[in-house]
Amino acid sequence: MRRIARTVRLNSAVVVVGALLAGCGLLGGSESGNEAVAGMDMQAAAERADRMFYATVGQIKPEIEWVHYRTTTGRCDVTRYWTVMTVVSEQRRGNLLGVVERFWKANGYRIKMVNPSKEMPEIIATSQDGFGISVLIGYKGQAFFEVTSPCVENSKVAGPKRVANGRAYEGEIPTPNVRSAFWSAETPVPDPAPSP
């Protein structure tokens, strides 16, 4: 009996380690994880990630406030992170996620996972060129976006060029500090305009 339990634990550990070593796994990455995207280095990949994020949040009306969080690099990939500073109420989260999911589908992104959790809903998708993108609604309605490149050529990566439209304190992890009357559900949802 002990031998069976030890074997099950060992097999479980191997699966977990394998998933961790997969690297680019769920969010982007090439199929084998070894082939670099021709003609693209980490800086170009970071700029592509920025454009994907800006295009996505540009679809959300009324506008949400966001800040750049961080950039990380792996062996051959780059990931950009953003924190949404607008607090999204529980009643509005489905609306925001619906806008994001429809935009991604309309732009040819393949939806890989939708987590309908009431506490922490999340959508993960992949672009046609292998970039992974996700949005997660976290604690008290704070949203987080992430874009991960496929394997690209190694290079230095500069910070994002666009100035964030949200407020955060330098050197601190951003916390929600922006309240929008719409997204925080302080005002009723407007009725759609009647059709002519």
Side-chain angles (χ1 to χ4, degrees):
M1 192 60 125
R2 285 184 187 166
R3 188 173 181 180
I4 293 172
R6 191 173 354 153
T7 302
V8 168
R9 281 194 305 266
L10 181 59
N11 287 341
S12 298
V14 169
V15 169
V16 170
V17 169
L20 292 173
L21 293 176
C24 300
L26 197 55
L27 275 185
S30 62
E31 292 302 316
S32 71
N34 293 325
E35 308 106 26
V37 174
M40 183 177 283
D41 63 13
M42 287 181 169
Q43 179 61 41
E47 291 170 5
R48 166 80 170 118
D50 292 342
R51 289 191 304 274
M52 290 172 67
F53 169 74
Y54 302 144
T56 299
V57 295
Q59 299 300 306
I60 301 170
K61 305 294 182 214
E63 182 179 59
I64 56 173
E65 294 195 22
W66 54 268
V67 295
H68 300 287
Y69 179 54
R70 67 180 177 201
T71 300
T72 61
T73 56
R75 181 177 49 82
C76 66
D77 61 4
V78 61
T79 302
R80 292 271 217 220
Y81 301 87
W82 298 267
T83 300
V84 174
M85 303 307 286
T86 304
V87 177
V88 181
S89 73
E90 190 175 330
Q91 298 86 351
R92 305 280 192 210
R93 292 172 196 167
N95 184 348
L96 184 138
L97 292 172
V99 168
V100 169
E101 184 176 4
R102 284 189 299 275
F103 176 72
W104 289 350
K105 284 180 178 178
N107 283 278
Y109 295 11
R110 185 169 53 92
I111 304 301
K112 294 180 86 171
M113 187 201 61
V114 175
N115 177 359
S117 164
K118 193 170 186 176
E119 290 78 33
M120 296 182 73
E122 179 178 21
I123 302 172
I124 297 174
T126 305
S127 68
Q128 293 175 349
D129 55 355
F131 282 71
I133 187 166
S134 71
V135 59
L136 167 74
I137 306 287
Y139 181 69
K140 290 191 176 180
Q142 185 172 23
F144 303 91
F145 282 85
E146 175 181 333
V147 179
T148 300
S149 77
C151 191
V152 293
E153 294 173 19
N154 206 335
S155 72
K156 291 186 177 184
V157 179
K161 294 178 183 172
R162 184 178 290 187
V163 176
N165 71 354
R167 296 168 289 168
Y169 297 104
E170 186 66 34
E172 292 186 12
I173 295 174
T175 56
N177 62 6
V178 177
R179 293 227 174 249
S180 159
F182 180 80
W183 291 111
S184 63
E186 293 169 4
T187 58
V189 178
D191 291 327
S195 301

